[in-house]
Each structure stands twice: as structure tokens, then as C-alpha cells.
Amino acid sequence: MKHKVKVQVPVEKRGLFGIKKTVMETRTIEVDGKTYKKMKKEWENRPYSIEEMMLYDDLFDGD
């Protein structure tokens, strides 16, 4: 079974004076069921981002 997944890939683009910079673009790819399950498992086990840590700190802070 095919699944459509949005992923962010690094892409090099030219800036104002021709200076190259790397930016993250969101693209949609198709993956099979085995790869989809692997990606989903990796996403669940990823470390928390700074924003998530601050949110949880605000929610569960006892003071």
C-alpha cells in the first residue's frame, strides 16, 4: 500500500547577490507500508523541540 508523506528536504537556493544558501522545503513523497511504519516510529521517538518543552513546562508547572 502506498502512503503520501510530507517531508522537509534541504535545497540550495541563490540569494540576493548570488550567494547560495540552504533552505528546508516541504515536499510530498510516496512510500510503501514498511517505510511508512518506520518513519512513523522514528517520529514518535524523536526528542522534544524547544517549543514543546516550553509548552509542557507551562502546562505542568506546579507554581
Side-chain angles (χ1 to χ4, degrees):
M1 179 178 205
K2 298 283 183 176
H3 297 273
K4 289 187 177 182
V5 180
K6 290 185 179 180
V7 294
Q8 288 187 341
V9 292
V11 178
E12 281 193 2
K13 290 193 171 186
R14 291 184 176 254
L16 182 61
F17 297 110
I19 300 171
K20 291 183 181 178
K21 60 181 179 179
T22 304
V23 295
M24 299 298 281
E25 281 188 357
T26 303
R27 294 189 181 170
T28 304
I29 59 170
E30 286 188 6
V31 294
D32 59 345
K34 185 177 181 181
T35 308
Y36 178 75
K37 287 180 183 178
K38 181 180 175 185
M39 290 174 73
K40 189 174 178 182
K41 192 176 212 180
E42 287 176 359
W43 176 258
E44 292 171 354
N45 293 331
R46 78 188 194 307
Y48 292 125
S49 67
I50 300 295
E51 292 83 16
E52 287 175 321
M53 283 191 265
M54 291 173 60
L55 174 69
Y56 292 142
D57 188 41
D58 289 340
L59 289 175
F60 300 115
D61 191 21
D63 296 332

